[in-house]
Amino acid sequence: MRYYTHVAGGIMAGMLVSAHIPPADFLNVAVSAACALLPDVDTTDSFAGRRIKPVSFVAGLTGHRKIFHSLWPVFLILLFLPGPLKYYAAAGYFSHLLLDAMTPGSVPWLWPLPYRWGLRLIPTGSMIEKLIVLPVLVIGIAKLIIPAGIPFVH
């Protein structure tokens, strides 16, 4: 998936977490959206990789869609980040994995095991992503914001 789809997925994940884990504010949802970009730090061609090139170069030594596209970083986030922030960060990161599992490349959920599981239905950057997946995420975000009375905007 493209970076903008991952950002939308991260926002939606953050909104879903905010319904259950306070505080439901803009900062926590923004953390979720930012963390939705982190798995692609393993390639210098990605949105995140172009912005933090030294980290991207080192992360890329393992290869794209390897350890950074597995559940290990999600577990580390939950283990080491403090307070409610960890749930927002983990949800954003996990949303990236779920979205990439829909692409032909899928994800190695249990890396270093070589198996990749996913639906493999939606090519990255395809019209399906642009005309179906992204709008569904945006509509989902709107449906979460409107009934909640926009709890994170003051």
Side-chain angles (χ1 to χ4, degrees):
M1 299 285 168
R2 303 296 303 195
Y3 78 92
Y4 45 80
T5 304
H6 286 304
V7 169
I11 291 169
M12 186 169 202
M15 293 296 297
L16 290 170
V17 170
S18 74
H20 303 284
I21 299 175
D25 60 13
F26 177 79
L27 178 62
N28 284 332
V29 174
V31 164
S32 186
C35 286
L37 296 173
L38 288 180
D40 283 337
V41 75
D42 61 7
T43 176
T44 56
D45 295 334
S46 70
F47 184 85
R50 287 191 307 269
R51 280 147 184 80
I52 46 177
K53 283 191 188 264
V55 173
S56 181
F57 175 77
V58 173
L61 295 175
T62 64
H64 185 53
R65 289 202 182 180
K66 300 279 196 258
I67 190 169
F68 289 95
H69 279 76
S70 72
L71 290 173
W72 293 112
V74 176
F75 295 138
L76 292 174
I77 288 168
L78 290 170
L79 189 61
F80 291 111
L81 282 183
L85 184 67
K86 65 183 168 188
Y87 301 111
Y88 288 91
Y93 201 102
F94 188 71
S95 75
H96 183 113
L97 302 181
L98 285 175
L99 287 168
D100 274 3
M102 291 187 220
T103 67
S106 197
V107 293
W109 294 98
L110 300 175
W111 186 90
L113 295 177
Y115 309 108
R116 291 174 178 262
W117 295 284
L119 297 177
R120 303 173 187 235
L121 298 173
I122 305 165
T124 299
S126 69
M127 292 307 283
I128 297 171
E129 177 183 353
K130 293 173 186 168
L131 297 176
I132 297 174
V133 177
L134 188 58
V136 164
L137 289 173
V138 170
I139 290 167
I141 292 166
K143 286 192 148 293
L144 288 169
I145 291 173
I146 293 166
I150 314 177
F152 57 89
V153 177
H154 301 290

